[in-house]
Amino acid sequence: MSPSPAPHQSWITVTLTRASVVILLIAFSHQAVAQHSDFPLPAAHFANSIADNSESGSTPQIQPDLSGVDFALGEEAPPGTPLIQPTTIFRQDDSGSGSSSDSEPSGIMGLFDDSSSGKSKKWYEKLNVRGYAQFRFNEIVHTNEGSAPPNYPSDGSISNERNFIIRRARIAISGDVHERVYVYLQPEFASNVPNSTDSDYFLQIRDWYSDLYLTEDKVHRVRVGQSKIPYGWENLQSSSNRIPLDRGDGLNSAVRNERDIGLIYYYTPESVQELFDYIQENGLKGSGNYGMFGAGIYNGQGGSLRDRNERLHSVVRFTYPFQLANDQIFEVGVQGYNGRYVVLGAPIEPLGIGPPMIPAGTEQAGDEKGLLDQRIAASFIMYPQPIGFQAEWNVGRGPSLNDAQTEVVVRSLTGGYVMLFSKHDTENYGTYLPFIRYSHYLGGYKAFRNAPYADVRDWEVGCEWQVNKAAELTATYLFADRTNIDSQSTGQQYEKFEGNVLRLQLQINY
């Protein structure tokens, strides 16, 4: 026979039982009134039943007489029908403690609050895993007479030597590990070694950052780590979400891999957060939530490249999305950055004449301070409902090889793109997004050896077919008219590639 409980233990048990049931009764009463205003809760019978059972020392069985109670279905419950099962009176969470009603610190002080750390999921239980892979096939259909070899900075398979390529293979891990801390980690499994001609598919960090929310409503946040630099709407748009296979050279030449290591402050009012969410949820090809206003500092050499001059770049961006009465959504923005960039050099024969040499103005030629690097850009986006339009343009000054190909100097630059596209949803055959785009750029490619001066005037037409949520097929036809920016130790440098390319891509989302 088990020993009888001590008197104080019985009193504690009865008291806790009564308190728990009273709390349950109050909560249920509020819920019932909210859902059905004329619900005649038999509170007296309910309370008396609890009191009788508690005094007898037995576990209270919630079996109130609900005869006469009109449920929403229009039928009376038979006498003795349980209102709520006893096992649901009080439930502990995984940590072994009940839920707390204590209010959390508001404002920036919430960053230092760990009061709920023992009552919620572990940080690793809050993470989400997703990713995508892009498999491409490129075929050079035609090259003009006298054209330089095929070359495309964003896709190494546009060449005379390759066709198939795994362009991207990524897994992203993200989540709120604290009410005020968000993490995002994204490695790339299809990177190549810079300046290597025979090595592909190496693992490399693409994104690795944390957001610190300064306010509970996430209006103010600070991002620390390697992330996208807020310059250019298309640069911020995920490659998994972009319709053309590659970004336009005009703005994409601003930041290598669109990313760098730094610290950026973002301000996003709640109304703007909601609009960004609406764009994402409705598949309108948005660029994501990078704030209505953003400002920060970063190394300046570009993602995964070591900083070389200890002089930080600075960036600022303002964008404003808005929705008209007819539900059409637009977004306009302006952005700019400033810094000094160190250009890496490689031996070339200037204009194909004389012995190979490394151009002056590069690190290998003794310039370790870097050259002026500054731009300003404007963005205009009309989201596809169903017709869409994108246009971005930037101007500035930056490092670029001179016309004699003997020295890297500061030269003016200009370029951007315009794109017309549409979105067509079908009932049984997925979604189609046809497009046509013109891309233009005159300026230096600072992230490449010797910062070659590029002249780009490309047309591209194609269509993305979203077969389902897991598979997308894109086919495009490129009319290329662009500078081949590969450096070579012999022969004439940086001539124009003029030709046509058929491009296919299968994207798998997971």
Side-chain angles (χ1 to χ4, degrees):
M1 179 179 296
S2 60
S4 301
H8 69 278
Q9 291 178 326
S10 298
W11 177 83
I12 292 174
T13 302
V14 171
T15 301
L16 290 177
T17 300
R18 288 178 175 177
S20 301
V21 175
V22 169
I23 292 173
L24 177 65
L25 174 60
I26 294 173
F28 179 78
S29 300
H30 282 287
Q31 183 180 6
V33 171
Q35 295 180 350
H36 198 61
S37 59
D38 58 351
F39 194 105
L41 181 67
H45 179 83
F46 188 79
N48 290 337
S49 175
I50 293 173
D52 292 340
N53 288 322
S54 298
E55 292 174 0
S56 64
S58 61
T59 302
Q61 301 296 317
I62 306 176
Q63 300 282 346
D65 183 3
L66 297 183
S67 59
V69 176
D70 180 14
F71 290 91
L73 296 178
E75 297 181 356
E76 293 185 355
T81 300
L83 181 62
I84 299 178
Q85 294 299 325
T87 54
T88 64
I89 291 177
F90 183 73
R91 175 174 293 176
Q92 295 179 329
D93 61 16
D94 294 338
S95 65
S97 61
S99 60
S100 173
S101 61
D102 295 338
S103 59
E104 297 180 359
S106 59
I108 194 172
M109 294 305 296
L111 272 172
F112 307 98
D113 176 47
D114 272 328
S115 60
S116 63
S117 59
K119 304 173 185 178
S120 59
K121 293 181 179 180
K122 301 297 184 181
W123 65 268
Y124 50 82
E125 297 176 319
K126 302 177 182 179
L127 297 178
N128 299 312
V129 180
R130 59 182 179 82
Y132 67 97
Q134 294 175 339
F135 307 95
R136 288 190 186 174
F137 174 85
N138 290 289
E139 176 66 25
I140 309 300
V141 178
H142 169 76
T143 55
N144 293 352
E145 184 177 354
S147 168
N151 172 259
Y152 202 85
S154 299
D155 191 335
S157 63
I158 297 183
S159 70
N160 287 327
E161 302 171 349
R162 308 171 71 183
N163 290 106
F164 287 104
I165 187 175
I166 300 176
R167 179 60 184 88
R168 293 177 178 89
R170 300 182 181 179
I171 294 178
I173 304 172
S174 62
D176 292 309
V177 297
H178 181 275
E179 288 79 359
R180 298 296 189 87
V181 181
Y182 171 83
V183 297
Y184 187 90
L185 321 174
Q186 181 177 224
E188 167 66 83
F189 291 84
S191 293
N192 61 348
V193 178
N195 304 305
S196 172
T197 60
D198 58 0
S199 299
D200 275 330
Y201 310 131
F202 285 82
L203 179 63
Q204 185 184 76
I205 291 176
R206 267 299 185 265
D207 299 276
W208 205 280
Y209 64 83
S210 294
D211 281 348
L212 305 179
Y213 297 116
L214 305 182
T215 54
E216 188 176 357
D217 55 12
K218 301 183 180 181
V219 170
H220 303 275
R221 58 189 159 116
V222 174
R223 178 165 294 179
V224 183
Q226 178 162 302
S227 67
K228 287 189 174 182
I229 301 303
Y231 183 83
W233 186 93
E234 189 182 53
N235 285 346
L236 297 175
Q237 185 184 38
S238 171
S239 294
S240 65
N241 204 30
R242 187 179 58 253
I243 304 176
L245 299 188
D246 295 291
R247 297 178 174 91
D249 300 69
L251 279 79
N252 195 231
S253 56
V255 183
R256 184 180 185 269
N257 291 338
E258 307 87 44
R259 297 163 171 85
D260 211 330
I261 302 175
L263 184 150
I264 303 173
Y265 162 78
Y266 289 112
Y267 166 72
T268 319
E270 290 186 272
S271 59
V272 175
Q273 294 182 39
E274 293 173 359
L275 192 50
F276 282 146
D277 290 342
Y278 176 86
I279 292 170
Q280 179 70 19
E281 292 168 359
N282 287 273
L284 299 182
K285 296 293 184 179
S287 65
N289 182 354
Y290 286 87
M292 187 176 77
F293 172 79
I297 52 177
Y298 60 101
N299 282 340
Q301 287 298 123
S304 301
L305 285 183
R306 179 171 54 88
D307 193 34
R308 313 191 83 85
N309 62 1
E310 294 186 316
R311 298 189 179 187
L312 296 175
H313 275 55
S314 57
V315 63
V316 62
R317 176 177 184 256
F318 175 82
T319 189
Y320 183 67
F322 57 95
Q323 189 170 24
L324 301 182
N326 63 356
D327 292 335
Q328 178 63 56
I329 301 175
F330 294 88
E331 186 173 347
V332 294
V334 62
Q335 51 260 296
Y337 73 83
N338 181 70
R340 298 187 71 85
Y341 193 90
V342 177
V343 176
L344 303 181
I348 59 172
E349 293 181 356
L351 302 178
I353 303 173
M357 61 166 289
I358 296 177
T362 63
E363 184 182 52
Q364 284 71 15
D367 188 343
E368 299 180 351
K369 294 182 179 179
L371 299 172
L372 182 67
D373 179 27
Q374 56 184 199
R375 300 190 186 196
I376 187 171
S379 308
F380 175 83
I381 313 298
M382 184 177 81
Y383 288 92
Q385 297 171 288
I387 304 299
F389 180 78
Q390 289 178 211
E392 292 191 277
W393 206 267
N394 73 168
V395 296
R397 295 180 295 170
S400 180
L401 192 64
N402 64 4
D403 290 339
Q405 299 182 355
T406 57
E407 182 180 4
V408 177
V409 297
V410 176
R411 301 180 66 173
S412 61
L413 59 89
T414 182
Y417 69 92
V418 292
M419 182 173 75
L420 180 66
F421 62 111
S422 60
K423 181 175 182 287
H424 304 278
D425 299 313
T426 67
E427 185 175 350
N428 300 313
Y429 302 102
T431 298
Y432 297 86
L433 295 107
F435 76 95
I436 181 170
R437 181 178 72 167
Y438 173 70
S439 182
H440 176 82
Y441 180 55
L442 293 174
Y445 247 105
K446 65 184 181 184
F448 285 74
R449 298 274 173 168
N450 305 326
Y453 187 84
D455 181 353
V456 178
R457 306 166 191 267
D458 285 354
W459 283 91
E460 190 169 17
V461 59
C463 182
E464 176 186 296
W465 176 26
Q466 298 177 359
V467 182
N468 52 50
K469 291 183 178 180
E472 302 175 13
L473 181 63
T474 301
T476 75
Y477 198 81
L478 172 67
F479 300 87
D481 182 0
R482 58 173 46 240
T483 302
N484 182 322
I485 61 175
D486 274 350
S487 59
Q488 302 175 21
S489 59
T490 60
Q492 192 166 349
Q493 307 296 311
Y494 310 127
E495 292 295 303
K496 293 290 288 293
F497 160 51
E498 299 173 334
N500 303 339
V501 184
L502 174 64
R503 314 184 68 193
L504 301 174
Q505 175 179 282
L506 174 64
Q507 176 173 306
I508 303 299
N509 305 310
Y510 42 85

Coordinates of all heavy atoms in Angstrom, one line a residue, residues 110-111 126 175-183 209-213 218:
G110 N 15.3 44.4 -25.5 CA 14.9 43.0 -25.9 C 16.0 42.2 -26.4 O 16.0 40.9 -26.3
L111 N 17.1 42.8 -26.9 CA 18.2 42.1 -27.3 C 18.9 41.3 -26.2 O 19.6 40.3 -26.4 CB 19.2 43.0 -28.0 CG 19.1 43.3 -29.5 CD1 20.0 44.4 -29.9 CD2 19.3 42.1 -30.3
K126 N 14.8 25.7 -34.6 CA 14.1 26.8 -35.2 C 14.6 27.1 -36.6 O 14.1 28.0 -37.3 CB 14.3 28.1 -34.4 CG 13.7 28.0 -32.9 CD 14.0 29.2 -32.2 CE 13.5 29.1 -30.7 NZ 13.8 30.4 -29.9
G175 N 17.0 31.1 -39.8 CA 15.9 31.0 -38.8 C 16.2 32.0 -37.7 O 17.3 32.5 -37.5
D176 N 15.2 32.2 -36.8 CA 15.3 33.1 -35.7 C 15.8 32.2 -34.5 O 15.0 31.5 -33.9 CB 14.0 33.7 -35.3 CG 13.5 34.8 -36.4 OD1 14.4 35.6 -36.7 OD2 12.4 34.7 -36.9
V177 N 17.0 32.4 -34.1 CA 17.6 31.6 -33.0 C 17.3 32.3 -31.7 O 17.5 31.7 -30.6 CB 19.1 31.4 -33.2 CG1 19.4 30.5 -34.4 CG2 19.8 32.7 -33.2
H178 N 16.7 33.5 -31.7 CA 16.3 34.2 -30.6 C 15.2 35.2 -31.1 O 15.1 35.4 -32.3 CB 17.4 35.0 -30.0 CG 17.1 35.8 -28.7 ND1 16.6 37.1 -28.8 CD2 17.2 35.5 -27.4 CE1 16.4 37.5 -27.6 NE2 16.8 36.6 -26.7
E179 N 14.4 35.7 -30.2 CA 13.3 36.6 -30.7 C 13.9 37.8 -31.4 O 13.3 38.5 -32.2 CB 12.5 37.1 -29.5 CG 11.5 36.0 -28.9 CD 12.2 35.0 -28.0 OE1 13.5 35.2 -27.8 OE2 11.6 34.2 -27.5
R180 N 15.2 38.1 -31.1 CA 15.8 39.3 -31.7 C 17.0 39.0 -32.5 O 17.8 39.9 -32.9 CB 16.2 40.3 -30.5 CG 15.1 40.8 -29.7 CD 14.2 41.7 -30.5 NE 13.2 42.4 -29.7 CZ 13.4 43.6 -29.1 NH1 14.6 44.2 -29.3 NH2 12.5 44.1 -28.3
V181 N 17.3 37.7 -32.8 CA 18.4 37.3 -33.6 C 18.1 36.4 -34.7 O 17.5 35.3 -34.4 CB 19.5 36.7 -32.7 CG1 20.8 36.3 -33.5 CG2 19.9 37.6 -31.6
Y182 N 18.4 36.7 -35.9 CA 18.1 35.9 -37.1 C 19.5 35.5 -37.7 O 20.4 36.4 -37.8 CB 17.3 36.7 -38.1 CG 17.1 36.0 -39.5 CD1 16.1 35.1 -39.7 CD2 17.9 36.4 -40.5 CE1 16.0 34.5 -40.9 CE2 17.7 35.8 -41.8 CZ 16.8 34.9 -42.0 OH 16.6 34.3 -43.2
V183 N 19.6 34.3 -38.2 CA 20.8 33.9 -38.9 C 20.5 33.4 -40.3 O 19.4 32.8 -40.5 CB 21.6 32.8 -38.1 CG1 22.0 33.3 -36.7 CG2 20.7 31.5 -37.9
Y209 N 25.6 35.5 -42.2 CA 25.4 36.8 -41.5 C 24.3 36.6 -40.4 O 23.6 35.6 -40.4 CB 25.0 37.9 -42.4 CG 23.7 37.7 -43.2 CD1 22.5 38.0 -42.6 CD2 23.7 37.2 -44.5 CE1 21.3 37.8 -43.3 CE2 22.5 37.1 -45.2 CZ 21.3 37.4 -44.6 OH 20.1 37.2 -45.3
S210 N 24.2 37.6 -39.5 CA 23.2 37.6 -38.5 C 22.5 39.0 -38.6 O 23.1 40.0 -38.8 CB 23.7 37.4 -37.1 OG 24.3 36.1 -37.0
D211 N 21.1 39.0 -38.4 CA 20.4 40.2 -38.2 C 20.0 40.3 -36.7 O 19.5 39.4 -36.1 CB 19.0 40.1 -39.0 CG 19.2 40.4 -40.5 OD1 20.3 40.9 -40.8 OD2 18.3 40.1 -41.2
L212 N 20.4 41.5 -36.2 CA 20.0 41.8 -34.8 C 18.9 42.8 -34.8 O 19.0 44.0 -35.3 CB 21.2 42.4 -34.1 CG 22.5 41.6 -34.1 CD1 23.6 42.3 -33.4 CD2 22.3 40.2 -33.5
Y213 N 17.7 42.4 -34.4 CA 16.5 43.3 -34.4 C 16.6 44.2 -33.2 O 16.5 43.8 -32.0 CB 15.2 42.4 -34.4 CG 15.1 41.5 -35.5 CD1 15.1 40.1 -35.4 CD2 14.9 42.0 -36.8 CE1 14.9 39.3 -36.5 CE2 14.8 41.2 -37.9 CZ 14.8 39.8 -37.8 OH 14.6 39.0 -38.8
K218 N 10.6 44.5 -35.7 CA 11.6 44.3 -36.7 C 11.7 45.4 -37.7 O 12.2 45.3 -38.8 CB 11.3 43.0 -37.5 CG 11.3 41.8 -36.6 CD 11.0 40.5 -37.3 CE 11.0 39.3 -36.4 NZ 10.8 38.0 -37.1

